[in-house]
Amino acid sequence: MTSLKKYRILPFVTVIAVTLFFGCESNFKEVQKINFSEFVPNGDADKINLKYTDSGRIKAILVSPKMLEFSNVDFPFTEFPKGIDVTLYDNKAKKTFIKSDYAVSYRVTNIIDLKGNVKITAQDGQTLETEQLYFDQKNDWFFTEKNFKFTDPKGVSNGQGIDFSKDFKIINSQKIMGEVATAE
């Protein structure tokens, strides 16, 4: 007789357990939605032309069709999803031009990540082309681990991994690949 009672109670307990399980699942999804915050920019600008000055001198001009500001996140950054066109000026007004298809600037580290058809041209004709390049704003230093093409009046060199000062006065390449072509 006790065996018979066990079999009558088991289906009842199973129905209650299944009901509680499915009933809690919908509440769990609601709780997940409450804790979810959308990743949206708190600033959005179109067609920007920003001039950075220091002590009355223009140090940089940044032009971009789109800028998104994410200063409301734990690791704040500014994104340029449609690329940038930057002109840097040294103390003697010598220019360095930078172009890329995409860029993101991280406020905490002062690092700018340039991606897609990155091209840097110094006023004296030196040019570096790569797919990704980082710029350390604090130290005025560029670096990449990607393949690059460097052109100057002496010729063209291709390699992988390079770092250099923004005025191209100091250049450290990690690996030169192929022959160095010289200008005639």
Short mmCIF file of all heavy atoms in Angstrom, two decimals, residues 58-87:
data_model
loop_
_atom_site.label_atom_id
_atom_site.label_comp_id
_atom_site.label_asym_id
_atom_site.label_seq_id
_atom_site.Cartn_x
_atom_site.Cartn_y
_atom_site.Cartn_z
N ILE A 58 48.84 75.70 -33.43
CA ILE A 58 48.06 74.53 -33.85
C ILE A 58 48.99 73.32 -33.82
O ILE A 58 50.06 73.33 -34.44
CB ILE A 58 47.46 74.73 -35.26
CG1 ILE A 58 46.41 75.83 -35.21
CG2 ILE A 58 46.85 73.42 -35.76
CD1 ILE A 58 45.77 76.12 -36.55
N LYS A 59 48.58 72.28 -33.10
CA LYS A 59 49.37 71.05 -33.00
C LYS A 59 48.79 69.95 -33.89
O LYS A 59 49.53 69.10 -34.36
CB LYS A 59 49.40 70.55 -31.54
CG LYS A 59 50.18 71.45 -30.62
CD LYS A 59 51.63 71.37 -30.96
CE LYS A 59 52.48 72.07 -29.93
NZ LYS A 59 53.89 71.91 -30.20
N ALA A 60 47.46 69.98 -34.09
CA ALA A 60 46.82 68.94 -34.91
C ALA A 60 45.48 69.43 -35.42
O ALA A 60 44.80 70.23 -34.76
CB ALA A 60 46.63 67.67 -34.10
N ILE A 61 45.12 68.94 -36.60
CA ILE A 61 43.79 69.17 -37.16
C ILE A 61 43.23 67.80 -37.53
O ILE A 61 43.87 67.03 -38.25
CB ILE A 61 43.83 70.07 -38.41
CG1 ILE A 61 44.39 71.44 -38.06
CG2 ILE A 61 42.44 70.19 -39.03
CD1 ILE A 61 44.62 72.35 -39.25
N LEU A 62 42.07 67.49 -37.01
CA LEU A 62 41.42 66.21 -37.26
C LEU A 62 40.11 66.45 -38.01
O LEU A 62 39.29 67.25 -37.58
CB LEU A 62 41.12 65.48 -35.95
CG LEU A 62 40.45 64.13 -36.08
CD1 LEU A 62 41.09 63.14 -35.13
CD2 LEU A 62 38.98 64.22 -35.80
N VAL A 63 39.95 65.77 -39.14
CA VAL A 63 38.74 65.87 -39.95
C VAL A 63 38.18 64.46 -40.08
O VAL A 63 38.91 63.52 -40.38
CB VAL A 63 39.04 66.47 -41.34
CG1 VAL A 63 37.78 66.51 -42.20
CG2 VAL A 63 39.64 67.86 -41.20
N SER A 64 36.86 64.33 -39.83
CA SER A 64 36.22 63.03 -39.94
C SER A 64 34.74 63.20 -40.27
O SER A 64 34.11 64.14 -39.77
CB SER A 64 36.36 62.25 -38.63
OG SER A 64 35.73 60.99 -38.71
N PRO A 65 34.18 62.30 -41.08
CA PRO A 65 32.75 62.41 -41.38
C PRO A 65 31.85 61.98 -40.21
O PRO A 65 30.70 62.38 -40.15
CB PRO A 65 32.55 61.47 -42.57
CG PRO A 65 33.75 60.62 -42.65
CD PRO A 65 34.84 61.30 -41.90
N LYS A 66 32.39 61.19 -39.25
CA LYS A 66 31.55 60.69 -38.16
C LYS A 66 32.40 60.45 -36.92
O LYS A 66 33.48 59.89 -36.99
CB LYS A 66 30.89 59.37 -38.59
CG LYS A 66 29.94 58.78 -37.60
CD LYS A 66 28.64 59.51 -37.64
CE LYS A 66 27.55 58.76 -36.93
NZ LYS A 66 26.35 59.57 -36.84
N MET A 67 31.88 60.88 -35.76
CA MET A 67 32.55 60.64 -34.48
C MET A 67 31.51 60.17 -33.47
O MET A 67 30.43 60.76 -33.36
CB MET A 67 33.21 61.91 -33.95
CG MET A 67 33.95 61.70 -32.64
SD MET A 67 34.67 63.22 -31.98
CE MET A 67 33.27 63.90 -31.10
N LEU A 68 31.85 59.11 -32.74
CA LEU A 68 30.99 58.60 -31.67
C LEU A 68 31.77 58.65 -30.37
O LEU A 68 32.88 58.13 -30.28
CB LEU A 68 30.56 57.16 -31.97
CG LEU A 68 29.81 56.95 -33.28
CD1 LEU A 68 29.61 55.46 -33.54
CD2 LEU A 68 28.48 57.67 -33.26
N GLU A 69 31.19 59.25 -29.34
CA GLU A 69 31.84 59.42 -28.04
C GLU A 69 31.24 58.43 -27.05
O GLU A 69 30.03 58.41 -26.83
CB GLU A 69 31.64 60.85 -27.54
CG GLU A 69 32.27 61.14 -26.21
CD GLU A 69 33.78 61.19 -26.28
OE1 GLU A 69 34.32 61.61 -27.32
OE2 GLU A 69 34.43 60.83 -25.31
N PHE A 70 32.09 57.59 -26.44
CA PHE A 70 31.66 56.62 -25.44
C PHE A 70 32.36 56.93 -24.12
O PHE A 70 33.14 56.14 -23.61
CB PHE A 70 32.01 55.19 -25.89
CG PHE A 70 31.22 54.71 -27.07
CD1 PHE A 70 31.68 54.93 -28.36
CD2 PHE A 70 30.02 54.05 -26.91
CE1 PHE A 70 30.96 54.48 -29.46
CE2 PHE A 70 29.29 53.61 -27.99
CZ PHE A 70 29.76 53.82 -29.27
N SER A 71 32.08 58.08 -23.54
CA SER A 71 32.71 58.46 -22.28
C SER A 71 31.92 57.95 -21.08
O SER A 71 32.35 58.11 -19.95
CB SER A 71 32.85 59.99 -22.19
OG SER A 71 31.59 60.60 -22.28
N ASN A 72 30.79 57.29 -21.32
CA ASN A 72 29.94 56.78 -20.26
C ASN A 72 30.20 55.32 -19.93
O ASN A 72 29.44 54.70 -19.20
CB ASN A 72 28.47 56.98 -20.63
CG ASN A 72 28.12 56.32 -21.95
OD1 ASN A 72 29.00 56.02 -22.76
ND2 ASN A 72 26.84 56.11 -22.20
N VAL A 73 31.29 54.73 -20.42
CA VAL A 73 31.62 53.33 -20.16
C VAL A 73 32.85 53.27 -19.25
O VAL A 73 33.53 54.28 -19.03
CB VAL A 73 31.87 52.56 -21.48
CG1 VAL A 73 30.60 52.49 -22.31
CG2 VAL A 73 32.99 53.17 -22.28
N ASP A 74 33.13 52.08 -18.72
CA ASP A 74 34.26 51.92 -17.79
C ASP A 74 35.60 52.27 -18.43
O ASP A 74 36.49 52.77 -17.76
CB ASP A 74 34.30 50.49 -17.26
CG ASP A 74 33.14 50.19 -16.33
OD1 ASP A 74 32.55 51.13 -15.78
OD2 ASP A 74 32.81 48.99 -16.15
N PHE A 75 35.78 51.97 -19.71
CA PHE A 75 37.01 52.26 -20.43
C PHE A 75 36.65 53.21 -21.58
O PHE A 75 36.43 52.79 -22.70
CB PHE A 75 37.63 50.95 -20.95
CG PHE A 75 39.05 51.07 -21.40
CD1 PHE A 75 40.06 51.25 -20.47
CD2 PHE A 75 39.37 51.00 -22.74
CE1 PHE A 75 41.39 51.36 -20.89
CE2 PHE A 75 40.68 51.10 -23.16
CZ PHE A 75 41.69 51.28 -22.23
N PRO A 76 36.56 54.52 -21.29
CA PRO A 76 36.05 55.49 -22.28
C PRO A 76 36.90 55.57 -23.55
O PRO A 76 38.12 55.44 -23.51
CB PRO A 76 36.07 56.81 -21.54
CG PRO A 76 36.75 56.60 -20.27
CD PRO A 76 36.99 55.16 -20.05
N PHE A 77 36.20 55.78 -24.68
CA PHE A 77 36.88 55.89 -25.96
C PHE A 77 36.05 56.73 -26.91
O PHE A 77 34.87 56.96 -26.71
CB PHE A 77 37.16 54.51 -26.57
CG PHE A 77 35.93 53.71 -26.91
CD1 PHE A 77 35.40 53.74 -28.18
CD2 PHE A 77 35.32 52.93 -25.94
CE1 PHE A 77 34.27 52.99 -28.50
CE2 PHE A 77 34.19 52.19 -26.25
CZ PHE A 77 33.67 52.21 -27.53
N THR A 78 36.71 57.19 -27.97
CA THR A 78 36.06 57.93 -29.05
C THR A 78 36.31 57.15 -30.33
O THR A 78 37.44 56.78 -30.62
CB THR A 78 36.64 59.34 -29.18
OG1 THR A 78 36.51 60.01 -27.91
CG2 THR A 78 35.92 60.13 -30.25
N GLU A 79 35.25 56.90 -31.07
CA GLU A 79 35.33 56.09 -32.29
C GLU A 79 35.07 56.95 -33.52
O GLU A 79 34.21 57.82 -33.51
CB GLU A 79 34.31 54.96 -32.20
CG GLU A 79 34.31 54.02 -33.37
CD GLU A 79 33.27 52.92 -33.23
OE1 GLU A 79 32.21 53.15 -32.61
OE2 GLU A 79 33.52 51.84 -33.77
N PHE A 80 35.83 56.67 -34.57
CA PHE A 80 35.67 57.32 -35.86
C PHE A 80 35.39 56.22 -36.89
O PHE A 80 36.30 55.76 -37.58
CB PHE A 80 36.92 58.12 -36.23
CG PHE A 80 37.25 59.19 -35.22
CD1 PHE A 80 38.09 58.91 -34.15
CD2 PHE A 80 36.71 60.45 -35.33
CE1 PHE A 80 38.38 59.87 -33.21
CE2 PHE A 80 37.00 61.43 -34.39
CZ PHE A 80 37.84 61.14 -33.32
N PRO A 81 34.13 55.78 -36.99
CA PRO A 81 33.81 54.61 -37.81
C PRO A 81 33.97 54.82 -39.32
O PRO A 81 34.07 53.85 -40.06
CB PRO A 81 32.36 54.30 -37.44
CG PRO A 81 31.81 55.60 -36.97
CD PRO A 81 32.95 56.32 -36.32
N LYS A 82 34.00 56.06 -39.76
CA LYS A 82 34.14 56.34 -41.20
C LYS A 82 35.51 56.91 -41.54
O LYS A 82 35.69 57.51 -42.59
CB LYS A 82 33.03 57.28 -41.65
CG LYS A 82 31.64 56.65 -41.54
CD LYS A 82 30.56 57.57 -42.04
CE LYS A 82 29.21 56.90 -41.94
NZ LYS A 82 28.14 57.76 -42.42
N GLY A 83 36.45 56.75 -40.64
CA GLY A 83 37.82 57.15 -40.92
C GLY A 83 38.18 58.54 -40.43
O GLY A 83 37.33 59.30 -39.96
N ILE A 84 39.48 58.83 -40.57
CA ILE A 84 40.01 60.13 -40.15
C ILE A 84 41.02 60.64 -41.17
O ILE A 84 41.60 59.87 -41.94
CB ILE A 84 40.67 60.09 -38.76
CG1 ILE A 84 41.85 59.11 -38.75
CG2 ILE A 84 39.68 59.78 -37.67
CD1 ILE A 84 42.73 59.24 -37.54
N ASP A 85 41.22 61.93 -41.13
CA ASP A 85 42.25 62.62 -41.90
C ASP A 85 42.86 63.62 -40.92
O ASP A 85 42.20 64.58 -40.51
CB ASP A 85 41.62 63.33 -43.09
CG ASP A 85 42.63 63.89 -44.05
OD1 ASP A 85 43.83 63.94 -43.70
OD2 ASP A 85 42.23 64.28 -45.16
N VAL A 86 44.10 63.37 -40.50
CA VAL A 86 44.74 64.18 -39.46
C VAL A 86 45.99 64.85 -40.02
O VAL A 86 46.74 64.23 -40.78
CB VAL A 86 45.13 63.31 -38.24
CG1 VAL A 86 45.85 64.14 -37.18
CG2 VAL A 86 43.92 62.63 -37.64
N THR A 87 46.21 66.08 -39.63
CA THR A 87 47.46 66.79 -39.92
C THR A 87 48.10 67.13 -38.58
O THR A 87 47.49 67.81 -37.76
CB THR A 87 47.20 68.08 -40.72
OG1 THR A 87 46.47 67.76 -41.91
CG2 THR A 87 48.50 68.76 -41.09
#
